[in-house]
Amino acid sequence: MPNCLEDGWILPLIDESGLSIPLRLILYFVGLLWCLVGIAIIVEVPLAAIEVITSISKTELKADPDNPGKFKKVQIPYWNGAVANMTLIAFGTAIPKIMLATIEIIASEFYSGELGTATIVGSSAFSLLFITGVCIMVIPSPKTRYIKKAKPYFILVLVFSLFAYLWVFISLTVISPQVIELWEAFLTLTLYPVLVLLVYIIDNKYRRKKVSKTQHWLIQPTVDKNGDPLTTSSVNARSIASVIKDAGGSRRTVEEAAAIATVKANAHIRRSAAWYYVGATRNVTGSERLIPQVKPKSNTNITGEGLGEGPFDGSVVEFSSPVYAIHEHEKRVSLKILRKGNNDKVILFRFETISGTAEAGVDFVARRGVLIMEAGQRSLNLDIEIIDDNTCEPNESFYVKLCHNDDSNSDVKLGKQNITEIKIMDNDGYGLLEFDKPTYLFKENIGIAQLPIMRKSGAKGRVSVKWRTTDKTAIHRKDYEGGEGEVVFEHGETKKMLHIRIIDDQQYEKDEKFEVELSAPRGGAGLGKVFRTTVTILNDDEYRDLVDKVVDLTNLNLDRLKLGTSTWGEQFRRAMHVNGGNTENATPLDYIMHFVSFFWKVLGACVPPPSFLNTNGIISLITGLVLVGIVMATLVDMTKTFGCMVGLNDSVTAVTFTSVFISLGTSVPDLMANRLAAKSDKYADSSIGVTMGNSAVMVYLGLGLPWLLSSIYWTSKGRYFEIPIDTLIVSIPVYCMFAIICIGILVLRRLLPACGNAELGGPAVPKLISGLILIILWLMFVIFTALYADGVFSFIST
C-alpha cells in the first residue's frame, strides 16, 4: 500500500508519516464526510449574501385597482427575477463545482486537471437524472407540479444546457483535439452572458403579455411593475381566517395556526434556488428551520389559547323551559326534563329545590333526590307540590336545580337550562306571547342564538305561536340558519327559547342583521307588543383578536424566512444553539447533527452578515467565497489522499473515483433543496427549471473561466492550453444521450393525461416508472464512466 504523503493545496497540516495507514484511512474517511457537511453549511454564507443582493428594490407609489383614486406602495426590484436566477443565484448554488475547477487550474500552475471538468459533468448528470427522478416521485399522488415559465424561456435554457456539453465535446475532439485555443475559451465564457441576455429579452416579452390581475388567496402580494409577486408579501388578514377555519377539528394554538399560515403563504411566494438550498441544509443539520414545523392534528377545535372542547358523546339533560307559572290553587307544578344526545344508556342525575321569595315549607314542599332515565327515554316529569295558604300575597318564586349525581360518570352533562324558575301567580289567563326585547346582539361565534319568547298575563293551558325569519343584511343559510317554525308552551310554561344557529364563516366583515316575527297564536293566547325582533350578528372581537395575533406572528415568521437579515450577534446565537435556540421543537437527530456541524456553523457565523457596513451583502459574499474555496481545497486534498490509500493508483481511475465522490457529496444539498422546492412550491420551475439552467452555468462559468485563464497564460508563452480528455470522451456523449432521454420523458409527461399532464407527480404507477428510469440512467452513466476508466472498453481511439 502506498504512503500517499504528497502535499496538497491545504493538507497535510502535520507530518503524517508516523501514522499507520489504517488509522489515516479512518481519519480521512471521517474527515471527508465531515467536510461534505461543512461545504453544505459554509455555502449558505455566500448564498444568503446573493439573496440579499438580488432582492434589492426601490419603493414606488402605484394606483390601487381595488380602491380607485388611492395609491399603494409596491417594491420594484433592481434585478430581473429570471436574470437573477441565471446569474448570481445559479452561481451561488454551483459554487463548490466552479471553485473546484478554478482552484485546480490555478494550483496546478495553469496545467489542466481533469478533476474539475469530470466533477462538473458528474454533478450535471446527478442533477438532471437522479434529482429529477426523485422530484418526480416525491410529489404525493395524484398531485402534480408543472413548469409555469413560458415555453420560449424553458426551451432556450434547455438548448443552451445541452449545447454546453456538446460544445465541450466538439472543442476537445473535433475543432482542436485535446487543446483549448484562446478563442474557444473566450467563446465558452461569452456564451454565458449571451444566455443571460436572451433570458432577459424573452422574460420581459413574456411578462408584458401576461395578465397581472391574479392575486393569491392567502397573501396580499407585493408586486413588481409587471404584476409579478415578489419575494416579500404581507399576509391578508381575511385569508388568515380561512386558514384557521381549515384548522377546524384540530387543536391549534396561535403559534400553530401561524405556522400553518406561514407554510401556506410561503407556497405562494416566489423563492429562489438559493433559498431552497439553505432551507434544505438547515433541515438536516440541526439549524434554525426556515419553514416552521406544524404539529399533527388532534381531535379538538381551535381557540385563542388552544384549549378547545372535543365532541361529547353522552347525554345532556335540562328543563324544557327556564320559567314556569302556577296558581296556588292548582297545588302541583309539573316540570318537564328533556334528554338530548345519546340515549342508549341508563342515566342518573340529582335535583333539589331552592327557596326564593317563595319559602320552602310555607309556599311549596321542598324536595331533593335522584332521577333515573331508562335507555331510550327522552323526557320525564318532575312534580313539585304547592302549598295553598289561603292568604292574599304578591307573586312569589322559587327554583329547581339539576346537578350531577355523586356516583355519576362522564356520560351525563347538564344543559344550559339546568335551573328553572317557578312563579306562583294569581292571574288565570292564557297569556300574551312576545319577545323579551325588540333587539338582540350575538357574537358570530355564539353557535346557537337563543331568543326568549315570553308568555305574560297568564299561563293557562297549552298554547303555541308561529315564527319566521326575514333576511336583511344577514342571509339565510349563509350567515344564519333561519326559516320558519312553531313554538309550543305547555300548561304553566311562561318562557321558551327560540334557537337559531349562527354560521361562523370566520371572515372579516361588518355586523349583519335579520328579523324574526311571531304570528298566528293558538290555544287562546294572543300576541304581545313585541312580536317582532331584530337580531344583529356582531363580528366577534375575540376572533378578530385571534386573527390579528395570527397575522402578526405569520408576518414575523415570513420576515424570518428572508435570508441575510441576521446581525452578527444573532448569527453566533443561532449557530451555537440547536435549532437556532428553538429547543422545544428540536428532535434527537437535530441534537446529533448540531454536534457534528457545530464547528462549521460557528465558522460560518464569523463571516460578516450581509448588513455589515451597509454593503448589501458585498463583503459577506466575497468573504464567503474565500471561505468556500478553502474548505473546497481541503475536501479535494482529502479525497485524493483517501483514493490513494484505498489503492486507486492509476490516475484516470483515481480521478474518476474522486470526481464521482465529490459530485455526489457536493450535489446532495442540491438534491435536498430541489426535493424541498418540488414539495413546497406550486410549480416545478424552482426544481426542474433551475436544474436545467444550473447545468449550463456550470459549464460556461465552471469551465469557461479556468479555461480562459489558462489559455491567456499559455498563449502569452506561445503555447497551447492542452487538456487530456480521458474519461470525458465517453462521459460527455453518454450524458448528452441520457439528457435527451430525460427531456423526452418530461415532455411526454407534460403531454400525457396518464401522467397528470405535468412534469412532476401525477398517478402513482407512471410517476414511479418515470422516476426509476431516470435514476437507473444515472447509475448507468456512473458505470459506463467507471468501466471506461478501467479500460474495460474503449470509445474511440485517441
Side-chain angles (χ1 to χ4, degrees):
M1 183 177 288
N3 291 327
C4 303
L5 295 174
E6 296 120 351
D7 288 338
W9 298 336
I10 304 293
L11 299 178
L13 296 175
I14 61 173
D15 183 8
E16 300 177 1
S17 59
L19 302 177
S20 65
I21 293 295
L23 177 59
R24 291 180 65 209
L25 194 63
I26 295 173
L27 292 176
Y28 270 84
F29 180 72
V30 173
L32 278 173
L33 299 179
W34 191 55
C35 277
L36 289 176
V37 175
I39 284 291
I41 294 174
I42 297 301
V43 168
E44 287 187 23
V45 176
L47 284 179
I50 288 172
E51 185 83 352
V52 171
I53 293 172
T54 55
S55 63
I56 297 175
S57 61
K58 59 181 178 180
T59 303
E60 290 187 4
L61 288 177
K62 296 289 184 180
D64 189 349
D66 298 327
N67 298 289
K70 295 185 178 181
F71 296 85
K72 63 179 180 180
K73 291 182 179 180
V74 295
Q75 298 295 321
I76 308 298
Y78 288 104
W79 283 78
N80 174 278
V83 172
N85 272 331
M86 291 302 301
T87 52
L88 286 179
I89 293 175
F91 170 72
T93 54
I95 280 176
K97 297 89 171 179
I98 296 173
M99 294 285 280
L100 170 63
T102 305
I103 291 173
E104 183 184 40
I105 286 286
I106 297 174
S108 59
E109 299 181 351
F110 297 102
Y111 283 98
S112 173
E114 194 181 7
L115 178 59
T117 306
T119 300
I120 286 177
V121 178
S123 298
S124 297
F126 183 81
S127 297
L128 186 63
L129 301 175
F130 191 93
I131 293 180
T132 301
V134 171
C135 289
I136 290 175
M137 295 187 293
V138 77
I139 307 299
S141 297
K143 294 182 179 179
T144 59
R145 302 283 191 277
Y146 62 89
I147 295 176
K148 188 185 179 185
K149 278 286 185 184
K151 289 183 180 179
Y153 174 92
F154 180 70
I155 293 174
L156 173 69
V157 174
L158 190 60
V159 169
F160 266 76
S161 177
L162 285 177
F163 178 73
Y165 293 94
L166 289 174
W167 168 248
V168 172
F169 183 77
I170 293 171
S171 298
L172 293 175
T173 60
V174 178
I175 299 177
S176 53
Q178 302 193 55
V179 170
I180 292 295
E181 299 179 5
L182 181 59
W183 72 270
E184 292 174 310
F186 181 77
L187 180 59
T188 303
L189 187 61
T190 304
L191 285 173
Y192 177 59
V194 170
L195 171 60
V196 173
L197 178 61
L198 292 176
V199 163
Y200 176 76
I201 294 172
I202 290 178
D203 188 67
N204 266 0
K205 184 178 180 180
Y206 164 67
R207 290 188 179 194
R208 283 195 295 269
K209 292 182 177 180
K210 187 177 65 173
V211 179
S212 60
K213 292 182 179 180
T214 56
Q215 288 190 350
H216 298 308
W217 68 273
L218 181 65
I219 56 176
Q220 203 77 321
T222 303
V223 297
D224 64 18
K225 58 186 176 183
N226 299 306
D228 286 331
L230 304 178
T231 55
T232 56
S233 299
S234 59
V235 174
N236 182 352
R238 290 180 178 271
S239 299
I240 284 293
S242 65
V243 173
I244 299 176
K245 186 174 182 180
D246 290 341
S250 62
R251 184 171 185 168
R252 301 294 187 191
T253 63
V254 170
E255 290 76 14
E256 291 169 341
I260 297 172
T262 303
V263 172
K264 289 182 176 289
N266 182 64
H268 292 282
I269 300 176
R270 187 180 64 194
R271 296 296 185 189
S272 66
W275 189 90
Y276 284 113
Y277 184 102
V278 174
T281 303
R282 290 186 181 182
N283 287 346
V284 297
T285 56
S287 303
E288 183 180 33
R289 289 173 172 81
L290 287 179
I291 302 178
Q293 291 179 303
V294 180
K295 296 180 180 180
K297 292 182 178 180
S298 61
N299 296 321
T300 51
N301 294 325
I302 185 169
T303 67
E305 301 300 326
L307 300 174
E309 294 185 357
F312 182 67
D313 194 33
S315 298
V316 179
V317 293
E318 63 180 357
F319 291 106
S320 65
S321 174
V323 180
Y324 287 84
I326 188 70
H327 292 88
E328 202 174 59
H329 63 80
E330 294 184 41
K331 298 184 179 180
R332 189 176 302 274
V333 60
S334 184
L335 310 178
K336 189 174 185 179
I337 301 173
L338 302 178
R339 176 183 185 176
K340 300 177 181 178
N342 193 326
N343 67 337
D344 295 336
K345 299 179 181 179
V346 177
I347 60 172
L348 291 81
F349 54 95
R350 294 173 50 243
F351 77 95
E352 63 177 317
T353 58
I354 302 173
S355 295
T357 53
E359 297 182 8
V362 176
D363 300 299
F364 67 95
V365 177
R367 289 192 61 187
R368 67 170 56 196
V370 177
L371 297 175
I372 300 175
M373 276 193 178
E374 301 292 338
Q377 186 178 0
R378 284 293 186 183
S379 66
L380 62 77
N381 292 327
L382 172 63
D383 293 338
I384 304 294
E385 186 176 348
I386 304 299
I387 300 175
D388 188 358
D389 54 11
N390 294 320
T391 60
C392 182
E393 54 190 355
N395 295 341
E396 297 174 316
S397 300
F398 68 96
Y399 305 90
V400 180
K401 176 184 177 182
L402 301 180
C403 47
H404 291 288
N405 187 37
D406 294 337
D407 299 326
S408 65
N409 52 39
S410 59
D411 290 336
V412 180
K413 186 176 181 180
L414 301 179
K416 292 183 178 180
Q417 295 180 174
N418 57 76
I419 296 179
T420 188
E421 179 184 7
I422 296 93
K423 293 182 179 180
I424 304 175
M425 305 173 61
D426 290 330
N427 198 310
D428 198 21
Y430 291 100
L432 299 175
L433 306 177
E434 63 180 2
F435 288 108
D436 189 30
K437 295 186 294 185
T439 59
Y440 292 92
L441 303 177
F442 296 102
K443 290 184 178 180
E444 191 179 36
N445 69 341
I446 190 66
I448 301 296
Q450 299 188 77
L451 308 181
I453 301 178
M454 310 303 296
R455 184 182 186 183
K456 298 180 178 179
S457 302
K460 179 181 177 181
R462 188 176 191 268
V463 299
S464 64
V465 65
K466 291 185 177 181
W467 62 270
R468 181 180 62 185
T469 61
T470 303
D471 291 346
K472 294 299 182 182
T473 55
I475 307 301
H476 171 47
R477 292 201 177 99
K478 179 180 179 296
D479 302 301
Y480 70 100
E481 292 288 348
E484 58 185 28
E486 187 176 31
V487 176
V488 177
F489 288 78
E490 299 294 341
H491 175 71
E493 293 182 342
T494 60
K495 185 177 182 180
K496 282 285 191 177
M497 292 295 184
L498 173 59
H499 297 93
I500 295 180
R501 179 173 172 260
I502 304 299
I503 299 175
D504 187 0
D505 54 12
Q506 296 189 343
Q507 295 181 356
Y508 268 19
E509 55 194 357
K510 297 179 180 179
D511 298 339
E512 298 165 323
K513 301 178 180 181
F514 66 94
E515 287 186 350
V516 185
E517 183 178 0
L518 301 179
S519 62
R522 295 182 179 181
L527 289 179
K529 293 181 179 180
V530 189
F531 61 88
R532 183 187 294 115
T533 189
T534 299
V535 179
T536 300
I537 304 173
L538 299 175
N539 201 351
D540 182 24
D541 290 338
E542 292 181 4
Y543 177 72
R544 291 178 67 96
D545 290 342
L546 170 63
V547 172
D548 290 341
K549 289 178 182 178
V550 175
V551 167
D552 291 341
L553 190 53
T554 302
N555 279 323
L556 180 61
N557 287 342
L558 289 175
D559 287 338
R560 289 173 178 170
L561 297 188
K562 300 175 187 177
L563 301 181
T565 58
S566 301
T567 63
W568 218 331
E570 288 173 341
Q571 284 185 176
F572 278 102
R573 180 184 60 79
R574 293 174 180 175
M576 300 181 71
H577 292 86
V578 64
N579 200 17
N582 184 11
T583 56
E584 181 180 349
N585 293 320
T587 65
L589 182 60
D590 288 336
Y591 282 93
I592 295 174
M593 292 306 300
H594 178 68
F595 173 78
V596 172
S597 58
F598 181 80
F599 170 79
W600 300 113
K601 290 179 182 178
V602 175
L603 182 62
C606 294
V607 176
S611 60
F612 182 69
L613 297 180
N614 294 320
T615 54
N616 290 323
I618 301 298
I619 294 179
S620 181
L621 175 60
I622 296 173
T623 311
L625 290 177
V626 172
L627 188 58
V628 170
I630 295 173
V631 179
M632 199 68 209
T634 305
L635 176 66
V636 173
D637 285 350
M638 282 190 172
T639 307
K640 286 184 175 180
T641 304
F642 180 78
C644 174
M645 286 190 291
V646 297
L648 300 178
N649 297 317
D650 181 77
S651 60
V652 176
T653 305
V655 166
T656 301
F657 166 79
T658 305
S659 63
V660 170
F661 187 90
I662 294 179
S663 297
L664 281 176
T666 56
S667 296
V668 167
D670 296 334
L671 169 62
M672 296 185 298
N674 284 39
R675 182 178 179 274
L676 177 63
K679 294 182 66 176
S680 303
D681 214 350
K682 293 179 64 177
Y683 306 102
D685 298 70
S686 297
S687 51
I688 304 303
V690 170
T691 298
M692 303 291 181
N694 284 5
S695 297
V697 172
M698 279 194 289
V699 170
Y700 298 135
L701 270 183
L703 295 184
L705 180 60
W707 283 3
L708 183 61
L709 294 176
S710 296
S711 297
I712 293 174
Y713 176 81
W714 290 114
T715 300
S716 66
K717 293 183 176 295
R719 296 172 57 183
Y720 288 110
F721 174 45
E722 298 180 358
I723 296 182
I725 56 177
D726 295 330
T727 57
L728 294 179
I729 200 170
V730 66
S731 62
I732 291 180
V734 171
Y735 168 78
C736 290
M737 180 177 64
F738 287 172
I740 292 173
I741 295 174
C742 174
I743 294 166
I745 290 175
L746 293 176
V747 172
L748 284 176
R749 287 184 53 82
R750 186 63 176 265
L751 296 176
L752 295 177
C755 296
N757 293 116
E759 285 80 6
L760 306 182
V765 174
K767 177 182 72 174
L768 291 175
I769 293 175
S770 303
L772 290 176
I773 288 176
L774 296 182
I775 292 175
I776 292 172
L777 288 178
W778 173 75
L779 291 174
M780 292 174 62
F781 170 82
V782 175
I783 293 172
F784 285 165
T785 305
L787 291 178
Y788 181 81
D790 284 338
V792 175
F793 68 89
S794 60
F795 187 62
I796 59 174
S797 59
T798 60

